[in-house]
Amino acid sequence: LAGVTHPELNINHPYYDVARHGIIQLAGDDNSGRKVITFSCCRMPPSHQLNHTRLLEYLKYTLDQYVENDYTVVYFHYGLKSLNKPSLKWLQTAYKEFDRKYKKNLKALYVVHPTNFIKILWNIFKPLISHKFGKKITYLNYLSDLREHLKYDQLNIPQEVIRHDENLRGRQKGKLPPVVKVPPPRPPLPTQQFGVSLQYIKDKNKGELIPPVMKETVSYLKRKGLQVEGLFRRSASIQTIKDVQKLYNQGKSVNFDDYHDIHIPAVILKTFLRELPQPLLTFECYDHILGITSVESSLRVTRCKQIVQGLPEHNYVVLKYLICFLHMVSQESIYNRMTASSLACVFGLNLIWPSKGTASLSALVPLNLFTELLIDFYTNVFNSRTVPGEILP
């Protein structure tokens, strides 16, 4: 067995063809003085390059030298893939071939980094596995858990397994593995329009209340898109949307005619709303809006009006501008098929979302109903509050 524990494996070793991969190794003693044998899946070559019958014989050959005494097996599961995974038939044969002589003195089997595959296997083999043997198996999620059972430094753990363990621990702590450095968030550009507050855009645009990106998309769609079927329903190329956002954020001019796709300005408008740090209807209004379904039908428009009147001035002006435009779109629904209800389904979640998590499916009904009422009853909801400097599409 010397060949297994030393790199200079003799070519005359009876199982040289299998032993050379280093899948099975002797790794010193455990804390109770029992011999430790490790099995590393990541060292198994693709199945067509490894004779699994020989692997089984070699495993028995190795164990034969120790089974007269108590021993421990550490099984590193990481690296077992469809390419190198032995068949279930082989596993059943293997289990049957390990008669009592092998099982009796095996005192502990540590399964490191178990996955769902192990759980599936366990269920398949359960009828074959005695209760007594089952109690010898310990599942360990991290390498550090081995330290309390074994002399960790003698284990000769494969590098791939160590890296996998670091990744797992990094993820568990909610951090990325140490190799990846996350750049610090950069302050927004003075010309930034996406992902910054309405106030920020206003301050950087000479106090204008309506963000430039909104004004430009709305005026373009008003001129060229009001009768386009499915307006706001269609998607657009993700890369093109990113490119247009970049132009806006850098303060460069955007000519939507260059893109030959009316859905691009429509998607840009929705994206602008969705990327606001706080929804246009504000987090404070979320619960009030959810309550709209419990208001008697005849009083709902009045309730909508109350909620909207309570918005900060700037949000009110921007919302009024947007809903005025969506009302126009709905009035062309004979051509564009976008009724107030269809528009509400598209815009509801772009106007309001909870401060934590995402809106549940049950929340969509009131959110969309509220949006639909704003669009349908635009003149009624917005008729009694005017703000200096406000403009309409």
Side-chain angles (χ1 to χ4, degrees):
L1 187 74
V4 189
T5 52
H6 298 295
E8 59 276 8
L9 182 67
N10 189 326
I11 197 146
N12 298 321
H13 187 287
Y15 291 95
Y16 178 81
D17 56 331
V18 182
R20 65 199 171 97
H21 297 297
I23 303 162
I24 299 161
Q25 296 204 313
L26 182 66
D29 301 337
D30 71 6
N31 293 347
S32 310
R34 299 182 287 229
K35 282 281 172 273
V36 176
I37 289 156
T38 64
F39 188 105
S40 305
C41 287
C42 67
R43 290 190 172 146
M44 287 171 71
S47 296
H48 64 88
Q49 290 174 20
L50 180 69
N51 180 332
H52 286 136
T53 310
R54 293 274 294 161
L55 176 65
L56 179 55
E57 286 170 14
Y58 173 52
L59 183 56
K60 286 166 75 176
Y61 166 86
T62 307
L63 295 178
D64 276 344
Q65 302 171 58
Y66 298 102
V67 291
E68 296 311 316
N69 303 305
D70 294 351
Y71 69 103
T72 291
V73 172
V74 180
Y75 168 77
F76 295 110
H77 181 62
Y78 177 71
L80 192 71
K81 303 182 180 76
S82 51
L83 271 177
N84 65 1
K85 198 181 275 182
S87 68
L88 279 178
K89 196 169 173 17
W90 181 86
L91 288 167
Q92 282 174 318
T93 309
Y95 188 79
K96 282 178 190 154
E97 289 222 20
F98 281 100
D99 54 30
R100 189 167 175 273
K101 118 173 152 177
Y102 295 102
K103 293 172 193 158
K104 181 170 65 100
N105 289 334
L106 172 66
K107 294 304 170 193
L109 167 58
Y110 298 104
V111 177
V112 182
H113 302 136
T115 61
N116 282 337
F117 175 70
I118 294 281
K119 290 171 193 155
I120 293 163
L121 270 190
W122 180 252
N123 285 327
I124 293 170
F125 283 91
K126 221 174 192 171
L128 298 173
I129 296 170
S130 69
H131 176 66
K132 207 169 172 186
F133 184 77
K135 290 206 306 197
K136 296 176 181 181
I137 301 173
T138 305
Y139 294 99
L140 304 174
N141 290 322
Y142 301 104
L143 289 174
S144 54
D145 301 336
L146 278 169
R147 289 183 190 277
E148 56 184 275
H149 308 283
L150 307 165
K151 293 175 184 162
Y152 186 83
D153 301 324
Q154 295 180 2
L155 285 177
N156 187 9
I157 302 166
Q159 275 308 116
E160 301 96 300
V161 173
I162 293 170
R163 276 199 298 276
H164 175 65
D165 192 72
E166 284 169 359
N167 287 344
L168 283 180
R169 278 182 306 155
R171 245 182 277 160
Q172 208 249 340
K173 286 179 189 157
K175 289 184 204 145
L176 287 158
V179 273
V180 184
K181 285 203 167 72
V182 183
R186 286 182 299 182
L189 297 163
T191 47
Q192 189 103 5
Q193 295 212 48
F194 289 86
V196 289
S197 68
L198 293 175
Q199 188 62 47
Y200 184 91
I201 301 171
K202 178 186 164 190
D203 293 345
K204 303 290 181 200
N205 288 279
K206 302 177 184 142
E208 287 209 23
L209 293 171
I210 308 297
V213 62
M214 200 167 186
K215 207 184 291 180
E216 288 170 24
T217 49
V218 164
S219 64
Y220 188 87
L221 292 167
K222 193 177 148 196
R223 285 197 322 278
K224 303 195 172 184
L226 285 181
Q227 297 191 346
V228 172
E229 189 173 329
L231 187 66
F232 293 115
R233 272 240 171 99
R234 306 272 179 276
S235 57
S237 145
I238 294 174
Q239 193 50 54
T240 308
I241 296 304
K242 283 184 175 166
D243 294 344
V244 173
Q245 282 184 277
K246 195 172 178 183
L247 288 174
Y248 270 116
N249 283 340
Q250 291 173 345
K252 294 177 180 165
S253 65
V254 173
N255 180 1
F256 288 112
D257 282 337
D258 296 345
Y259 298 94
H260 310 292
D261 182 357
I262 194 69
H263 298 294
I264 286 170
V267 172
I268 284 290
L269 177 59
K270 288 189 293 185
T271 306
F272 169 75
L273 293 166
R274 195 167 51 247
E275 292 193 5
L276 284 168
Q278 179 168 207
L280 189 53
L281 282 163
T282 71
F283 291 132
E284 288 74 23
C285 286
Y286 185 76
D287 289 336
H288 297 307
I289 292 169
L290 284 191
I292 195 75
T293 37
S294 51
V295 175
E296 198 186 310
S297 298
S298 59
L299 301 172
R300 282 176 184 167
V301 176
T302 311
R303 181 68 187 127
C304 278
K305 191 170 181 172
Q306 282 173 347
I307 293 170
V308 167
Q309 299 296 340
L311 284 172
E313 193 171 84
H314 197 175
N315 294 62
Y316 176 84
V317 171
V318 175
L319 181 70
K320 184 174 178 179
Y321 180 87
L322 174 71
I323 300 295
C324 176
F325 167 63
L326 295 182
H327 181 69
M328 281 179 210
V329 174
S330 72
Q331 299 217 293
E332 302 287 341
S333 64
I334 189 167
Y335 303 107
N336 63 34
R337 306 286 177 93
M338 296 303 284
T339 59
S341 172
S342 315
L343 289 165
C345 288
V346 173
F347 276 89
L349 277 181
N350 292 320
L351 295 177
I352 183 76
W353 57 84
S355 56
K356 286 186 180 67
T358 51
S360 64
L361 283 173
S362 57
L364 288 182
V365 175
L367 299 186
N368 290 352
L369 172 64
F370 183 85
T371 311
E372 183 182 344
L373 292 170
L374 293 186
I375 298 168
D376 252 341
F377 299 94
Y378 161 75
T379 35
N380 190 339
V381 172
F382 292 93
N383 65 5
S384 53
R385 182 180 175 189
T386 51
V387 175
E390 73 171 42
I391 57 163
L392 291 175

